[in-house]
Amino acid sequence: MEFRDFKQRLRRRRQALLNDIYPDRVVDYLFQEGVLDQDEMELVLSHPPRHQQAVELLNRLQRTTQEGFGHFVASLEESFQHLHELMKQPAMPKDGYEREAFVEQLLREGQVPPRPEHFAARPAETGAVREALRHLQDSDGWVVLHGMGGCGKTSLAAEALRDGSLLEDCFPEGVVWLTVGQLSDENGQVDSAKLLTKMQNLITRLDPEISHSSRPVNIEAAHDYLARLFAHDYQQMLLVLDDVWSQVVARAFSVRCRVLVTSRFQSVANQARVPRKVHVPLTSGFTLEQTKAVLSGWTGT
């Protein structure tokens, strides 16, 4: 059985696990299978209240592997049959309204922009972005969606992510969306302080436990911190960098992960040190029919 979405399973079912699991009944098995080492097992058991032990165990499991999660599921079978069955189920519902609601919740958590009130579907362009993103299913890389200002790159990128099968197959750990913008100073150069703030904010979203005083204080340190987060905690998450104007900014975020970037400039990722780049040009704006649909929505006619 595959557990590519195991981190989502742990997040979505965390409360059920906290309510019912007794860690002292499973840690020996997890130690025997190498999921926990001696120090980790003792640390879990050193917190006397059962609930706090469960919190510590689940925090440890968020950093395990698919194989480690499989051992955790197996450890539940004897004493916690209902949790065993629950954790065997995929995080994303199979179909219907529940699946759509799950996708929307996942995107809200990642701060993906909502669908505009007056929205015109662009199936060909949306399909092209989704096809490009599927190249990242099993490897790190960048998809670069580029086109002239105002042609709908942001809305198109967000719409491409409203696809349960794409998220389930390629990005089971979800999406994190960062609106970047120009970040230039009065001389037209990249403002390092503004760039660092963007990187720090992303770090805080990915690592909520980090204190303000512990955040990296320069761009190189922030780059390295993000690299560690994506390498160890978010290997199958998609990072969206929306509205990137500068190659310098793109390079600052070129850690080994899966990225969708939107930009006016085809060359924006030229300095990014990544193993794979897929370009999706958006060469035109709305068709006449799409424009009519948007105007009709605005005017109510």
Side-chain angles (χ1 to χ4, degrees):
M1 179 179 293
E2 284 197 354
F3 297 111
R4 297 183 72 248
D5 65 341
F6 77 91
K7 292 185 180 180
Q8 284 293 340
R9 299 190 198 195
L10 287 169
R11 292 181 190 129
R12 302 296 166 184
R13 290 143 193 180
R14 184 180 180 89
Q15 195 56 52
L17 290 166
L18 290 176
N19 288 344
D20 294 347
I21 196 170
Y22 283 77
D24 58 352
R25 300 185 191 177
V26 300
V27 291
D28 284 339
Y29 181 89
L30 296 177
F31 172 69
Q32 292 171 11
E33 298 298 333
V35 181
L36 300 176
D37 61 27
Q38 183 73 38
D39 290 341
E40 289 173 324
M41 182 175 68
E42 292 177 357
L43 183 61
V44 169
L45 297 178
S46 68
H47 297 83
R50 179 203 64 81
H51 183 272
Q52 190 57 42
Q53 290 180 346
V55 169
E56 188 64 36
L57 175 61
L58 295 185
N59 289 345
R60 298 279 163 183
L61 289 173
Q62 280 287 349
R63 292 175 168 82
T64 191
T65 61
Q66 289 187 52
E67 182 181 3
F69 178 78
H71 290 310
F72 171 64
V73 174
S75 75
L76 300 172
E77 186 170 12
E78 182 175 345
S79 300
F80 308 100
Q81 184 64 37
H82 66 297
L83 293 178
H84 174 72
E85 293 301 322
L86 179 66
M87 299 309 291
K88 283 167 53 179
Q89 301 303 314
M92 186 176 294
K94 290 184 178 180
D95 49 39
Y97 172 78
E98 289 185 354
R99 184 177 179 88
E100 292 181 12
F102 182 94
V103 170
E104 285 301 321
Q105 177 65 22
L106 200 65
L107 298 183
R108 273 196 301 272
E109 291 172 356
Q111 299 185 16
V112 176
R115 183 178 286 164
E117 181 180 359
H118 305 292
F119 175 75
R122 305 169 75 180
E125 293 87 346
T126 303
V129 177
R130 288 173 177 166
E131 181 180 357
L133 287 170
R134 285 195 172 273
H135 285 88
L136 308 182
Q137 179 169 351
D138 297 313
S139 63
D140 301 329
W142 283 34
V143 170
V144 182
L145 174 61
H146 55 87
M148 58 183 276
C151 67
K153 298 181 294 297
T154 295
S155 295
L156 185 61
E159 187 62 23
L161 299 177
R162 290 185 171 87
D163 182 330
S165 63
L166 175 69
L167 298 177
E168 192 171 37
D169 295 343
C170 302
F171 314 112
E173 294 177 11
V175 178
V176 59
W177 183 291
L178 183 68
T179 301
V180 179
Q182 291 195 48
L183 303 184
S184 56
D185 59 21
E186 58 186 12
N187 298 315
Q189 302 299 312
V190 171
D191 188 316
S192 296
K194 292 179 181 178
L195 174 56
L196 178 60
T197 297
K198 290 287 184 180
M199 299 178 79
Q200 289 174 331
N201 289 343
L202 178 59
I203 287 170
T204 300
R205 289 169 61 189
L206 294 174
D207 186 7
E209 296 182 3
I210 189 172
S211 65
H212 183 82
S213 60
S214 299
R215 296 192 306 177
V217 296
N218 59 63
I219 291 172
E220 182 178 0
H223 174 278
D224 292 346
Y225 199 104
L226 286 169
R228 289 194 298 273
L229 283 173
F230 281 104
H232 298 294
D233 298 336
Y234 298 100
Q235 296 174 347
Q236 297 181 90
M237 175 175 276
L238 178 68
L239 169 62
V240 183
L241 301 173
D242 183 39
D243 193 26
V244 179
W245 285 64
S246 165
Q247 294 184 16
V248 173
V249 173
R251 186 178 63 215
F253 287 98
S254 62
V255 298
R256 291 294 298 269
C257 65
R258 302 164 191 199
V259 177
L260 168 61
V261 59
T262 73
S263 178
R264 299 184 180 198
F265 310 106
Q266 180 178 356
S267 62
V268 72
N270 281 4
Q271 295 184 31
R273 300 180 294 272
V274 294
R276 175 197 293 257
K277 297 173 191 172
V278 181
H279 286 266
V280 182
L282 195 55
T283 55
S284 61
F286 293 113
T287 65
L288 178 60
E289 291 303 315
Q290 290 165 348
T291 303
K292 288 180 178 179
V294 173
L295 288 175
S296 177
W298 276 103
T299 61
T301 60

